Amino acid sequence: MASAAKKKTVRTIPQLRAAMPEQDAGQRSRNFAEVACGYRLEDALHEAERCLFCPDPACVAGCPVSIDIPGFIRRISAKDFRGAYDVITATNLLPAICGRVCPQESQCEGVCPVGETLEPVAIGRLERWVGDKAIAEGWSSAPHIEPNGFKVGIVGSGPAGMACAADMAKAGCEVTVYEAFQEPGGVLKYGIPDFRLPNAVIDAEIENLRRLGVNFECNTLVGRLFTLEQMRDEMGYDAVFVGTGAGYPSMMGIPGESLNGVLSANELLTRCNLMRAREFPQYDTPVPVGRRVAVIGSGNTAMDALRVCLRLGAEKVHCIYRRSRAESPARAEELHHAEEEGVEFHWLTNPVEILGDAEGGRAGNVKGMRCVRMALGEPDESGRRRPLPVAGSEFEFPADVVVFAIGTNANPIIGQTSKIRLDKRGYIETDAELATSMAGVFAGGDIVTGAATVIEAMGAGRKAARGIKRYLGLDPESASPERLFGIPVSEKNFARIRAL
Amino acid sequence: MARAAQTDYEIVAREDFSDATYLLEVRHPLMARAARPGQFVIVMAQPHGERIPLTLADFDRRKGTVTLVVQAVGKTTREMQQSCHVGSALHALAGPMGVPSHVNGAAKVLCVGGGLGVAPMFPQARAHKEAGATVIGVVGFRSRELVFWEDKFRGVCDELILCTNDGSAGLRGLVTDGVRLALEKHPDLAEAVVIGPPVMMKACAEATRPRGIKTVVSVNPIMVDGTGMCGGCRVKVGGRVRFACVDGPDFDGHQVDFDDLMARLARFVPEERRALERWSESCRAKEPAPLEETLELPDPFEEVHGG
Ligand SMILES: Cc1cc2nc3c(=O)[nH]c(=O)nc-3n(C[C@H](O)[C@H](O)[C@H](O)COP(=O)(O)OP(=O)(O)OC[C@H]3O[C@@H](n4cnc5c(N)ncnc54)[C@H](O)[C@@H]3O)c2cc1C
Ligand SMILES: Cc1cc2nc3c(=O)[nH]c(=O)nc-3n(C[C@H](O)[C@H](O)[C@H](O)COP(=O)(O)OP(=O)(O)OC[C@H]3O[C@@H](n4cnc5c(N)ncnc54)[C@H](O)[C@@H]3O)c2cc1C
Ligand code: SF4
Ligand code: SF4
Ligand code: FES
């Protein structure tokens, strides 16, 4: 390896980051094709040269699943692309997805020392390049699997469920993933739009899970079709993982929210992405297309909603956020893309009422909002400066569609239908190994932590898988116990355990 | 229990009650086992289709089937009327969804069904009967030819008041007239359950309010997922926002804001019209049977009683 010969320094590496080829902003804001087209081979090789191969790499610590980042970049440099893929998939099953949607600036790339003087190594883009190459070449990391007779049920097919399913399948378990929607993928499918994460990429990664022997059952609402207790006691699952996400959308509770034209970002995005309303009437599901859209909030979900509305044909799309740009929780790249595409941002602005066209403001359609200007005060619990309304600053803002993207809460169905212990806000309570209050039932992802990121959900799925392996006695590190909870492991009848 | 083999939602029986109302019995053994009165399902007829909510009108645990009774009102429900035959299969069928109705063994219960709500009332009436209640049923249709399931209702009701708009069968009048009659005859009603178009549920809730009879209604807002994820189904109940698919669909009829519900049902009227027109044209292109006269969409504010 050439790079090993002489020690690289920030001064000797290529100074400029390889640019990401992108669709032109004017053109792309009217189509659903992917915005970032992906590195070409020469871009990837150039960018790989910029890595210093730090002996104690900060980036690995910054990645929630600790990918051996210098290890895979070194293999790209050596043109051992398959090797790079194997290094990544040793810890992350979904490189083509994470490379696209991770908030790298606050994870791996945020701590890369190259970033102190230059732009940090584009780890995410390299990871995506490897993932895309694997899809194009049909590589998969399916090892030889020795069945062990255990059955594991996974509830929810988002990144947490997928990651847990992969690890349990690799360990030799018979794995079934249950999904309430008609297609697997979770937020990746229904929430994140195609221009950021094409469906073909998600489907390819799901196909890899199928190759590991994972079975998907869609249209299955666990809790209502059968309960967690039934999975464990009647359906023969030795362990269950719950990764149902935090999909329940919040509203603000201001007057006028039931006006027609007011909807949650989840509704907008699900109609558009999963149900393909953007191809209405070829597809049957409609979506409200505003001429003047206001999206409230400034996270990833808000950016997606804004950019979807542009592509659906809105004339003007406005982002309304009560803090300033510096506090916006969206990925830097998304914010930047939205600005380029012509989204108008109204920082330090908050709606206080939604106005309708009918008398009395109850029935009818949205015609605008009453907003108030905000100013930043003292820092709050989150460390961000608390926004406070400026007296006498109210003004009217015309809009015909208003989208709320102000966060989500725990989905209530599992709590309604089982005795699993929830915390005060309705999220599932777990211990450090992600075991829940029900024996044999583990949980992870947004349903435990609240809305987080794709890679954190995957990390949780993998962590739960380690917990499940220990629970089932499959952990090679801890000598396989003969009895667990007083029951002979050979009996495989943990359903008998009653911890409640 | 073997793993859920749910890849195929085969239609095993179909019955047409009238030009507009049809019954589909679909194979889904797990769902038949799990279903409780008051719950609903989400159906996708075909891969390009919409997810539409339909109440479970019946379920047979032994046969492993669930029954849906559908009123053809728009693109999806009319298309299903043409495409769903015995032996064909639905693209997707998810559920049961929603909180099951609370059947608490009240002594005397009034069960009211009108329009879309006649069939879904049946499992509720049966559950109340099985719980030991005296069940007074009120069901409404436009005219005699549209009447269905009269025998089934008589089988679970101690008294059945059948109403038709034109008086061709039973009492002449609207469901609400039947309700008023029942209220006069039975001063000891402990509870009322009402399913039907929002206007009808509103009128029935107003009729029971002065007597302080607990009145449960089953609301039917527009839905997407049915799992509490989109908020499209939100309704105002006692001033609070609730999601019908996970907090309901049953709510206290004296607390529901029906005007709000009706306004929200009109959210997609232009799009619904466009979808229906486009579909009707494609049907006309295939076969000459004209569909013009059926093109008029029902007005969600109108009190529909026809079966
Ligand atoms: C619009 C949007 C954009 C985002 N953008 C980014 C981004 O750019 N980068 C990033 O890192 N993160 C992003 N996130 C956050 C990220 O997507 C989530 O943190 C992550 O998907 C959580 O994964 P999960 O597996 O916990 O749950 P989810 O992805 O929510 O999956 C849960 C699945 O479980 C199913 N389910 C729920 N209840 C049941 C049940 N009872 N039975 C059966 N199935 C059930 C649901 O239908 C769903 O498919 C975004 C989120 C949204 C909404
Ligand atoms: C919980 C629930 C249970 C339901 N149970 C049944 C049932 O058992 N049988 C049945 O026939 N229908 C039932 N419905 C109504 C059914 O979902 C709608 O009729 C259907 O979605 C219409 O689809 P469409 O494409 O045919 O018509 P669209 O083109 O979507 O609409 C045509 C007309 O129907 C009205 N409409 C649309 N959606 C609804 C709705 N959700 N409720 C009432 N009217 C609506 C509209 O105002 C419109 O004018 C139920 C709805 C809910 C929410
Ligand atoms: S998974 Fe995300 S955080 Fe980890 S290396 Fe890849 S892009 Fe960075
Ligand atoms: S921290 Fe940056 S330079 Fe160091 S190994 Fe990681 S990517 Fe390379
Ligand atoms: S239908 Fe989406 S939340 Fe109820």
Side-chain angles (χ1 to χ4, degrees):
Chain A
M1 259 175 261
S3 47
K6 62 175 185 339
K7 190 164 161 14
K8 290 205 270 185
T9 68
V10 177
R11 262 193 241 133
T12 61
I13 59 170
Q15 300 292 292
L16 289 180
R17 190 182 234 215
M20 175 60 103
E22 279 174 3
Q23 255 200 91
D24 168 72
Q27 176 196 337
R28 76 181 185 230
S29 64
R30 302 286 153 186
N31 71 42
F32 278 88
E34 202 170 4
V35 168
C37 311
Y39 273 174
R40 294 155 302 184
L41 173 63
E42 59 267 35
D43 300 323
L45 292 173
H46 168 97
E47 193 57 33
E49 277 310 306
R50 298 183 70 236
C51 176
L52 303 173
F53 305 121
C54 309
D56 185 11
C59 56
V60 177
C63 168
V65 297
S66 310
I67 292 179
D68 175 5
I69 293 164
F72 93 78
I73 297 181
R74 206 182 276 280
R75 282 176 180 72
I76 295 179
S77 284
K79 299 209 171 79
D80 173 14
F81 306 130
R82 172 72 214 219
Y85 177 70
D86 290 339
V87 169
I88 298 174
T89 50
T91 39
N92 177 6
L93 188 79
L94 313 171
I97 294 175
C98 295
R100 282 177 170 80
V101 302
C102 261
Q104 290 96 5
E105 68 274 14
S106 56
Q107 296 179 352
C108 53
E109 295 176 16
V111 290
C112 168
V114 174
E116 284 163 24
T117 37
L118 308 169
E119 278 200 89
V121 178
I123 302 167
R125 293 171 178 182
L126 288 172
E127 185 179 347
R128 166 186 166 170
W129 183 79
V130 173
D132 284 352
K133 182 137 186 82
I135 292 172
E137 305 279 339
W139 294 337
S140 93
S141 54
H144 171 72
I145 294 172
E146 203 64 64
N148 60 20
F150 285 109
K151 266 179 76 173
V152 176
I154 310 273
V155 184
S157 64
M162 284 201 253
C164 187
D167 280 3
M168 295 321 297
K170 283 183 188 163
C173 301
E174 183 188 325
V175 180
T176 302
V177 179
Y178 292 105
E179 168 56 47
F181 270 125
Q182 71 270 18
E183 287 173 35
V187 171
L188 305 177
K189 220 20 159 331
Y190 75 69
I192 302 181
D194 277 44
F195 55 81
R196 277 218 289 139
L197 178 59
N199 273 348
V201 172
I202 309 164
D203 290 338
E205 303 283 33
I206 287 171
E207 193 46 43
N208 271 337
L209 285 186
R210 289 208 167 93
R211 283 193 221 164
L212 292 175
V214 175
N215 175 32
F216 286 88
E217 293 277 3
C218 293
N219 301 309
T220 306
L221 182 62
V222 177
R224 294 279 172 216
L225 188 59
F226 44 76
T227 60
L228 295 179
E229 282 88 346
Q230 280 175 305
M231 287 179 80
R232 203 180 53 175
D233 299 349
E234 296 171 28
M235 296 166 73
Y237 285 108
D238 300 297
V240 174
F241 173 76
V242 181
T244 48
Y248 196 92
S250 309
M251 307 295 276
M252 285 177 79
I254 57 176
E257 280 178 2
S258 50
L259 286 163
N260 291 334
V262 180
L263 70 170
S264 75
N266 268 5
E267 180 176 356
L268 175 89
L269 293 169
T270 306
R271 284 178 179 273
C272 188
N273 301 334
L274 181 76
M275 303 310 295
R276 309 233 140 227
R278 60 171 202 250
E279 290 168 60
F280 181 85
Q282 278 73 35
Y283 282 75
D284 290 346
T285 304
V287 66
V289 180
R291 286 186 36 230
R292 208 180 135 89
V293 179
V295 175
I296 299 158
S298 179
N300 284 321
T301 309
M303 294 308 126
D304 286 344
L306 288 158
R307 298 171 71 199
V308 156
C309 288
L310 271 180
R311 285 159 174 78
L312 287 172
E315 283 160 23
K316 213 77 198 98
V317 175
H318 301 270
C319 175
I320 313 281
Y321 186 51
R322 64 201 176 109
R323 301 178 196 255
S324 69
R325 190 182 192 285
E327 286 87 23
S328 164
R331 287 180 74 212
E333 184 180 335
E334 259 39 84
L335 198 54
H336 173 66
H337 279 152
E339 283 167 340
E340 276 183 353
E341 288 170 14
V343 169
E344 244 176 62
F345 287 84
H346 305 261
W347 307 111
L348 294 167
T349 306
N350 209 27
V352 289
E353 182 182 356
I354 302 174
L355 308 167
D357 57 7
E359 282 309 302
R362 49 188 307 126
N365 302 309
V366 173
K367 67 164 200 212
M369 299 187 298
R370 243 213 349 275
C371 295
V372 63
R373 303 247 184 252
M374 309 293 276
L376 294 180
E378 294 300 304
D380 62 13
E381 326 73 73
S382 72
R384 297 181 301 177
R385 292 174 63 195
R386 189 195 299 277
L388 298 164
V390 177
S393 66
E394 286 193 11
F395 63 101
E396 280 197 15
F397 188 94
D400 54 2
V401 166
V402 172
V403 181
F404 280 99
I406 55 169
T408 51
N409 294 308
N411 189 296
I413 293 176
I414 291 294
Q416 281 172 348
T417 56
S418 75
K419 285 188 247 142
I420 204 162
R421 193 148 56 226
L422 307 177
D423 71 14
K424 283 196 291 295
R425 298 174 309 154
Y427 293 98
I428 297 178
E429 241 177 47
T430 65
D431 66 10
E433 301 210 328
L434 298 184
T436 69
S437 65
M438 284 172 73
V441 179
F442 293 71
D446 285 5
I447 190 60
V448 172
T449 55
T453 63
V454 171
I455 192 68
E456 281 167 312
M458 287 185 46
R462 303 204 66 209
K463 187 169 174 194
R466 284 193 294 278
I468 294 173
K469 283 186 217 169
R470 231 182 325 270
Y471 168 74
L472 295 177
L474 296 170
D475 189 355
E477 261 118 69
S478 66
S480 166
E482 276 167 23
R483 298 176 79 81
L484 268 174
F485 306 100
I487 295 172
V489 170
S490 58
E491 243 182 62
K492 291 179 186 160
N493 185 14
F494 301 101
R496 279 184 6 212
I497 303 172
R498 274 281 165 275
L500 293 168
Chain B
M1 191 165 50
R3 175 191 300 144
Q6 302 153 24
T7 39
D8 182 22
Y9 312 106
E10 190 196 350
I11 295 165
V12 297
R14 166 171 173 153
E15 192 180 333
D16 284 79
F17 293 142
S18 70
D19 286 354
T21 309
Y22 53 99
L23 170 153
L24 302 174
E25 191 177 340
V26 190
R27 189 187 329 278
H28 197 320
L30 267 184
M31 195 187 290
R33 212 180 79 138
R36 300 284 178 279
Q39 291 188 300
F40 66 96
V41 297
I42 295 255
V43 168
M44 266 178 97
Q46 38 99 352
H48 286 211
E50 211 175 342
R51 291 170 65 91
I52 67 160
L54 296 168
T55 310
L56 286 163
D58 206 353
F59 32 87
D60 187 329
R61 307 219 154 108
R62 213 172 26 80
K63 270 164 76 188
T65 60
V66 297
T67 299
L68 310 171
V69 175
V70 191
Q71 209 171 45
V73 293
K75 156 110 206 297
T76 307
T77 46
R78 286 185 204 207
E79 187 183 47
M80 284 171 65
Q81 195 180 20
Q82 285 201 352
S83 65
C84 292
H85 296 292
V86 174
S88 72
L90 299 172
H91 175 64
L93 174 63
M97 290 167 171
V99 180
S101 296
H102 191 60
V103 178
N104 57 3
K108 201 177 221 183
V109 181
L110 179 67
C111 290
V112 188
L116 295 175
V118 173
M121 178 47 72
F122 174 73
Q124 303 237 25
R126 180 176 57 192
H128 281 286
K129 183 75 208 163
E130 282 168 0
T134 302
V135 178
I136 314 298
V138 179
V139 289
F141 298 92
R142 220 179 303 123
S143 68
R144 174 187 205 96
E145 310 83 79
L146 303 175
V147 174
F148 64 87
W149 281 11
E150 189 182 343
D151 291 350
K152 270 181 94 148
F153 274 101
R154 290 207 187 279
V156 299
C157 293
D158 295 274
E159 183 184 335
L160 182 70
I161 302 175
L162 177 72
C163 315
T164 51
N165 296 15
D166 60 2
S168 53
L171 179 80
R172 181 195 180 102
L174 302 175
V175 174
T176 35
D177 297 317
V179 168
R180 262 173 232 117
L181 180 70
L183 287 172
E184 276 162 32
K185 277 174 77 179
H186 302 279
D188 54 341
L189 282 169
E191 192 180 322
V193 187
V194 186
I195 311 183
V199 213
M200 185 206 106
M201 294 194 285
K202 181 181 181 187
C204 291
E206 285 319 313
T208 58
R209 196 193 294 274
R211 292 254 304 265
I213 299 171
K214 179 185 168 203
T215 301
V216 178
V217 298
S218 175
V219 298
N220 59 343
I222 291 173
M223 294 188 172
V224 183
D225 55 306
T227 65
M229 206 214 64
C230 73
C233 65
R234 59 191 190 275
V235 286
K236 269 195 207 150
V237 183
R240 271 181 70 200
V241 173
R242 312 297 302 273
F243 289 3
C245 66
V246 287
D247 301 323
D250 284 359
F251 291 108
D252 177 351
H254 296 148
Q255 301 279 323
V256 170
D257 185 338
F258 287 103
D259 297 331
D260 192 75
L261 175 63
M262 285 185 273
R264 289 184 53 75
L265 273 174
R267 284 173 72 194
F268 291 109
V269 167
E271 287 87 356
E272 285 158 1
R273 202 177 300 265
R274 228 175 107 203
L276 184 59
E277 275 164 13
R278 184 173 177 276
W279 177 75
S280 303
E281 267 158 33
S282 75
C283 291
R284 218 171 308 152
K286 271 185 249 139
E287 49 172 294
L291 270 152
E292 275 105 312
E293 72 274 19
T294 59
L295 251 180
E296 228 168 89
L297 287 169
D299 177 351
F301 297 97
E302 188 196 356
E303 189 163 357
V304 210
H305 287 245

